[in-house]
Amino acid sequence: MTVTHPPTSHDSVAHGSAARPEGSVTRALLAGGVAAAPLFAIVSLTQAFTREGFDLTRHPLSMLATGDLGRLQIANFLVSGTLTIAGALGLRRAMRGTPGGTWAPRLILVNGVGMIAAGVFVMDPGDGFPAGTPLGQTGTLSWHALMHMVAGSIAFTALIAACFVLGRHFSRAGRPGFATASRLSGLIFALGDGWAMSGGRAGSLTLAVGAITAMTWVAVTAADKRAALR
């Protein structure tokens, strides 16, 4: 007859020491997702209200990457995108096996990569910014401005879709408040982006509001999943 011995305290300690590092890694990755939105918003909006010639109702936040201080916004895109990628990896670990647990992290990962690409490929100056630039739009886009638009479009679409996938995730988890907030965030971004793309009045402002709203919701989701690991 085989005798089964109960786990010893040494076994429990060993198991715990093996589990804790994985949880610590997930929490660290999710912390990146929590930090991405406030970092991007604070750095962007501080510049938007302080840099000469910038008008948030006419100029997209991406245009802050031009001019003498453009390196600040370029760094903002690169760092925020990297933190978003970290958050996506953390969400993949935290949401594994749940509804939306595959596609929400993937879409957020695409958004992070798109942000980095938007930092690498910079918009053209125009419409009075940086200060001294002629008013109105330039006739022909440079190749890097075109690449910026492509990267931005992919990043925006992925983030909007991620919000709706997270809405399904929270709905299936029996959290209707979170589900509604997630879908509303995606809708605000979709409407703001659509208004901007249609040439609507103050479209750059509605785009900024939508993007920051959706990014903030992803940060809230990362914070929620991080808190659940305690």
Side-chain angles (χ1 to χ4, degrees):
M1 182 175 73
T2 302
V3 178
T4 303
H5 297 283
T8 65
S9 59
H10 175 75
D11 294 331
S12 299
V13 171
H15 177 74
S17 62
R20 279 193 297 271
E22 181 175 352
S24 297
V25 170
T26 303
R27 283 173 55 80
L29 290 170
L30 289 171
V34 174
L39 173 67
F40 183 81
I42 290 170
V43 173
S44 296
L45 295 179
T46 298
Q47 293 183 83
F49 292 116
T50 58
R51 289 185 62 181
E52 182 183 0
F54 190 87
D55 181 351
L56 191 52
T57 65
R58 295 189 297 115
H59 303 129
L61 293 176
S62 293
M63 197 170 282
L64 290 167
T66 62
D68 293 339
L69 296 177
R71 62 186 180 279
L72 296 177
Q73 188 67 351
I74 292 173
N76 191 23
F77 272 116
L78 298 179
V79 175
S80 298
T82 301
L83 291 173
T84 299
I85 291 172
L89 297 177
L91 287 172
R92 183 178 67 178
R93 296 162 70 106
M95 297 173 62
R96 186 178 292 124
T98 65
T102 297
W103 277 103
R106 285 180 180 175
L107 290 165
I108 294 168
L109 178 66
V110 171
N111 173 245
V113 172
M115 290 183 69
I116 292 175
V120 172
F121 303 108
V122 180
M123 285 187 71
D124 294 329
D127 200 15
F129 187 82
T133 303
L135 294 175
Q137 302 299 323
T138 56
T140 304
L141 289 177
S142 65
W143 68 270
H144 51 83
L146 181 60
M147 290 298 295
H148 179 93
M149 292 182 63
V150 171
S153 296
I154 293 172
F156 292 165
T157 302
L159 184 53
I160 292 168
C163 287
F164 286 103
V165 175
L166 287 173
R168 175 176 175 272
H169 167 78
F170 286 118
S171 180
R172 294 287 294 275
R175 303 179 69 181
F178 270 56
T180 299
S182 185
R183 292 174 177 132
L184 185 59
S185 298
L187 180 61
I188 290 171
F189 192 8
L191 292 175
D193 185 29
W195 181 254
M197 294 302 100
S198 70
R201 184 178 178 84
S204 58
L205 177 60
T206 65
L207 177 60
V209 170
I212 291 174
T213 298
M215 289 179 67
T216 299
W217 181 249
V218 170
V220 170
T221 300
D224 177 73
K225 298 303 181 185
R226 189 171 187 270
L229 295 176
R230 293 177 180 174

